Amino acid sequence: MAATRLTVPVGLHTGLGCDAVGVPARFGFKILSRLPAKGCVYADSDWWWWLVPAGSDHDLTWPLPACYARGAEIPDRRPRLIHHPDGTSPYTPPIPLYLLVCQLTGIAPSWPAPPVSTTL
């Protein structure tokens, strides 16, 4: 299947780069209605995609069936912009999005523990 890169609307600032997180459409409205802040959201008949800052997968494993797309390059199913943010940022904050995806998929969120050092 061919790929396409999600296009950020004119006037929005993408200084952090763009990746995307996709979920099956059955989760789309639930996530959109529960997020306190929303960036650009795109949808086709099968998937909904949220723009997040590049690197939002660093030390995170997004739970299946979510799909993380570096560079916001996704399968070309002719996605359309369904939510335009109010401000100038195209991004959905990735941590609230991650926590919602975990909650809806029944997967416990997990982060690697930072190294601990002591000086005694």
Side-chain angles (χ1 to χ4, degrees):
M1 176 174 272
T4 189
R5 188 174 309 271
L6 296 173
T7 305
V8 178
V10 174
L12 299 181
H13 303 290
T14 58
L16 299 176
C18 284
D19 288 347
V21 175
V23 297
R26 70 181 180 271
F27 296 121
F29 282 115
K30 289 177 185 174
I31 292 173
L32 190 63
S33 67
R34 295 177 185 174
L35 281 172
K38 305 161 197 73
C40 292
V41 181
Y42 303 80
D44 59 47
S45 60
D46 298 320
W47 285 85
W48 284 39
W49 298 91
W50 278 260
L51 284 185
V52 293
S56 293
D57 61 338
H58 183 70
D59 287 339
L60 270 182
T61 301
W62 289 81
L64 292 175
C67 177
Y68 192 86
R70 287 185 182 92
E73 191 168 314
I74 65 168
D76 190 2
R77 295 185 183 111
R78 297 189 162 189
R80 67 189 189 292
L81 182 67
I82 61 167
H83 181 269
H84 189 287
D86 294 331
T88 59
S89 172
Y91 307 119
T92 293
I95 297 303
L97 178 60
Y98 173 76
L99 293 172
L100 268 173
V101 171
C102 287
Q103 179 184 34
L104 291 173
T105 59
I107 305 295
S110 66
W111 287 271
V116 177
S117 63
T118 61
T119 54
L120 296 175

Coordinates of all heavy atoms in Angstrom, one line a residue, residues 13 20 23 26 29 54 69 76 85 87 89 96 111 115-116:
H13 N 2.7 25.9 13.8 CA 4.1 25.8 14.0 C 4.6 24.4 14.3 O 4.1 23.7 15.2 CB 4.5 26.7 15.2 CG 4.2 28.1 14.9 ND1 4.7 28.9 14.0 CD2 3.2 28.9 15.5 CE1 4.2 30.1 14.0 NE2 3.3 30.1 14.9
A20 N 3.0 10.8 14.1 CA 1.6 10.6 14.3 C 1.3 9.3 15.0 O 2.1 8.3 15.0 CB 0.9 10.6 12.9
V23 N -5.0 5.1 15.7 CA -5.8 4.1 16.4 C -6.9 3.7 15.5 O -7.4 4.5 14.6 CB -6.4 4.6 17.8 CG1 -5.3 4.9 18.7 CG2 -7.3 5.8 17.6
R26 N -12.7 2.8 15.7 CA -13.7 2.5 16.9 C -13.3 3.3 18.1 O -14.1 3.5 19.0 CB -13.8 1.0 17.1 CG -12.6 0.4 17.7 CD -12.8 -1.1 17.9 NE -11.7 -1.8 18.4 CZ -10.7 -2.3 17.7 NH1 -10.7 -2.2 16.4 NH2 -9.7 -2.9 18.3
F29 N -13.7 8.6 18.5 CA -14.5 9.6 19.2 C -14.3 9.5 20.7 O -14.3 10.6 21.4 CB -16.0 9.3 18.9 CG -16.4 9.9 17.6 CD1 -16.9 9.0 16.6 CD2 -16.4 11.2 17.3 CE1 -17.3 9.5 15.3 CE2 -16.8 11.7 16.1 CZ -17.2 10.8 15.1
A54 N 7.8 15.0 17.2 CA 8.7 13.9 16.8 C 9.3 13.4 18.0 O 9.7 14.1 19.0 CB 9.7 14.4 15.8
A69 N 3.7 6.4 13.8 CA 4.2 6.7 12.5 C 5.2 7.8 12.5 O 4.8 9.0 12.7 CB 3.1 7.0 11.5
D76 N -1.7 5.4 2.8 CA -2.5 6.3 2.0 C -4.0 5.8 1.9 O -4.2 5.1 0.9 CB -1.9 6.7 0.7 CG -2.6 7.8 0.0 OD1 -3.6 8.4 0.6 OD2 -2.2 8.2 -1.1
P85 N -6.7 22.5 15.6 CA -6.6 23.0 16.9 C -6.9 24.5 16.9 O -6.9 25.2 15.9 CB -5.1 22.8 17.2 CG -4.5 22.7 15.9 CD -5.5 22.1 14.9
G87 N -5.3 26.8 18.7 CA -4.1 27.7 18.7 C -3.2 27.5 17.5 O -3.7 27.1 16.4
S89 N -0.4 25.5 17.6 CA 0.3 24.2 17.7 C -0.5 23.1 17.0 O -1.7 22.9 17.4 CB 0.6 23.8 19.1 OG 1.2 22.5 19.2
P96 N -1.0 12.5 27.7 CA -2.4 12.2 27.9 C -3.0 11.3 26.8 O -3.8 10.4 27.1 CB -3.1 13.6 27.8 CG -2.0 14.6 28.1 CD -0.7 14.0 27.6
W111 N 6.8 3.0 31.8 CA 8.0 3.7 31.4 C 9.2 3.1 32.0 O 9.1 2.5 33.1 CB 7.9 5.2 32.0 CG 6.9 6.0 31.3 CD1 7.2 6.8 30.3 CD2 5.6 6.3 31.7 NE1 6.0 7.5 29.9 CE2 5.0 7.2 30.8 CE3 4.7 5.7 32.7 CZ2 3.7 7.6 30.8 CZ3 3.4 6.2 32.7 CH2 2.9 7.1 31.8
P115 N 17.8 5.4 36.0 CA 18.8 4.8 36.8 C 18.9 5.6 38.2 O 18.8 6.8 38.2 CB 20.1 5.0 36.0 CG 19.8 6.0 35.0 CD 18.3 6.0 34.8
V116 N 19.2 4.9 39.2 CA 19.3 5.4 40.5 C 20.7 5.3 41.0 O 21.3 4.2 40.9 CB 18.3 4.7 41.5 CG1 18.4 5.3 42.9 CG2 16.9 4.9 41.0

